[in-house]
Amino acid sequence: MDTPQPAPVSFDAEGGEALLRTPNSVYALRIGTDGSPRHGYWGTPLDLAEILESRSSAENSFEGSDPTPDELAIETGSRFGVAGLRVRFADGVRGAQWRFAGAEVEGGVLRLRMVDRVYPLALELVYRVRPDSDVIERWVEVSHTGGADEPAIVVERCDSGAWTLPKRSDYRLSHLVGGWAAETQVQRDRLAVAETVLTSRRGLTSHQANPWLALDAGDATEDSGEVWSAALAWSGSWRIAVNRDPGGQVTFSGGFGHEALSFRLTPGERMRTPVFAGLYSPDGFGGASRAWHEYIRTHVLPHPEEDRPVLYNSWEATGFDVDEAGQLELARLAAQSGVELFVLDDGWFGARRDDRAGLGDWTPRAEAFPRGLRPLADEVHRLGMRFGLWVEPEMVNPDSDLYRAHPEWVVHAPTRKATELRNQQMLNVGRPDVAEWMHATLDRLVRENAVDFLKWDANRMVTEAAWPGHPDPDRLWIDHVRNVYEIIDRLRADHPGLRIEGCCGGGGRVDLGMLARVDQVWTSDNTDATDRIGIQAGFGQVYPAAAMVAWVTDSPNPLTSREVPLRFRFHVAMAGALGIGGKLTEWSEKELAEAAELVAEYKEIRPLVQRGIAYRLQGPDAMSGVHYAAPDDSEHVILVWRPTIRFGHWPPPTRLMGLREDATYQEASSGATYSGRLLRERGLELGLPAGDYASRLIRLRRVDGVESR
Ligand code: GLA
């Protein structure tokens, strides 16, 4: 008989204690004597009694009565750290003071309700767990409960939650940093005994910092050890503040908006913050990544079961110089190479000859597409491909009909000089009229041109932010993002076949909020295969390969001038959602044939890449790779890359920790069979050719006939 499983979420009203269970973790909290939820425990499964018994009581009269970290810190009481909730009332008083008003448990959701003891402010701290994931989703709902004549409450900060780790003697912080064409570089340093702030003040997620972090006690490896990590589902400005105190306590609080922004909560209003998702993993950095991938595929991405198509994109081939005949020529060659989706990039609209004009005027440029886009779309369809179109709907060039008609639509402060980035301004999509125009424009474009796919770009950040005439101008930072989300959601609902790629000058808007409504994202404008290895490895720390678009482009690479063989470029791009972005008209017959062969091979391994379980591989001398395992262990694909040979070293066998010890596997190319134990312990001989830019795609099949996991 099955033993009954404990409920995933429980709340004991008497003790004021809550417990959340996921398959490999437990999270505990309790309502403190002052009515504020306090952290209990987050980590490996323990039972509630043990957790509560082990509660520390390091009280001292200097620090006040309850030193336990808050689940969302407020500004009253003896709290001097980062406040996750900062409010100011009309009489000048700052900070909430809670009375606990009850908890609700429904399915996997726990809601803790607090009301202010004096002012009409209420807050719900919400937690959600799912039976198949160790990710805990958290958010906050803050409301003004007063009557219509009560004054507004100014909210200066409302994080989605604070996370606290068990005390350890040391901690290390891993996060993703970068810049344009250099996104998602893993940074792993000792966590300072200080406040460390990860943030974007750009109005977009940013290339510079990605809203994800991981913490470990300095002892985790790729394959083992405890890792606590978190990711924020928000595509605008954000902030995560990590605090490590000299006593070993580590807490981080995170949410939308950067410092110094505020909004006014008006009577009757309720504001819900984005999800801040946390994950405890007992299986090292690799285990944490696999848990994120699985969560994102199962619960975040739309259509996770679908193969992401092999696409062709014209940007690096033709730049702004697009026209019907040229695109058709590329489309024919793309179709012959096995491409399934042809994407017409920038340059097709308005007066767009370069980046100085045309953004905002989303009608085909007459001299380039005299018959409109439909003939191209029809021909692309006839060639057996889907038709995709690049748009940058949130932006406008001052040299455009849209700007001339509506200069008031851009984000601007009338008294300030407006900074131009890439010669463009940002539309204030928070404005209902702008949002309505944007939805109608995109809806028409998709409808009239049989568009199957939009590449949705956003190539500048917010500067001189203001919202003239609006009573609460910082709402811009929230409403812009929310309306973009809503428009994407509406387009998808009205055009169920439409697929969308998120883009932001490459990977400047990659986060769980975007991934909940786009099928994939453009990883980076850097398509140099060698640079891409690092960018993709960082991306894969949290986001899955199915969402990571990777193109094979020309050699020498237009950005880095590096010359890289075609096979190596393919092998790197095949680790994600494969695309081609080269000038196919200049590829030789031999190159086109090789490309077609590699695209065909990609289609064979695609289910493993896009829906498999990923294990990162790291060898000496800059050798690295990735191993994708079928969830049922039946098939495996290993991609390895070594851009530079050093000292004539022969790479040692690579240990494949994603295989089962007790299984037998056959290598497809040689027919050799190996035990899983051998490949895990001694490793697989990679057989990399000598020289620079050595790469291999190795396939293994399980052959012992045993029912797999
Ligand atoms: C951004 C994108 C590129 C391309 C250009 C077009 O930089 O990331 O892929 O679409 O814009 O202007």
Side-chain angles (χ1 to χ4, degrees), residues 406-438:
H406 293 289
E408 76 286 5
W409 278 11
V410 301
V411 172
H412 77 295
T415 51
R416 296 282 176 225
K417 181 179 177 304
T419 301
E420 275 182 24
L421 296 169
R422 216 188 183 214
N423 306 301
Q424 64 197 56
Q425 296 290 341
M426 190 162 183
L427 293 172
N428 178 354
V429 184
R431 286 174 64 122
D433 49 358
V434 175
E436 206 36 58
W437 164 86
M438 198 164 119

Side-chain angles (χ1 to χ4, degrees), residues 180 313 315 320 345-346 352 390 392 422 455 457 459 503-506 522 524-525 551:
W180 174 78
N313 179 294
W315 174 243
F320 296 99
D345 209 276
D346 200 348
R352 190 78 164 165
W390 179 93
E392 199 186 351
R422 216 188 183 214
K455 176 177 168 187
D457 208 343
N459 283 316
C503 177
C504 176
W522 179 223
S524 176
D525 277 347
W551 309 341

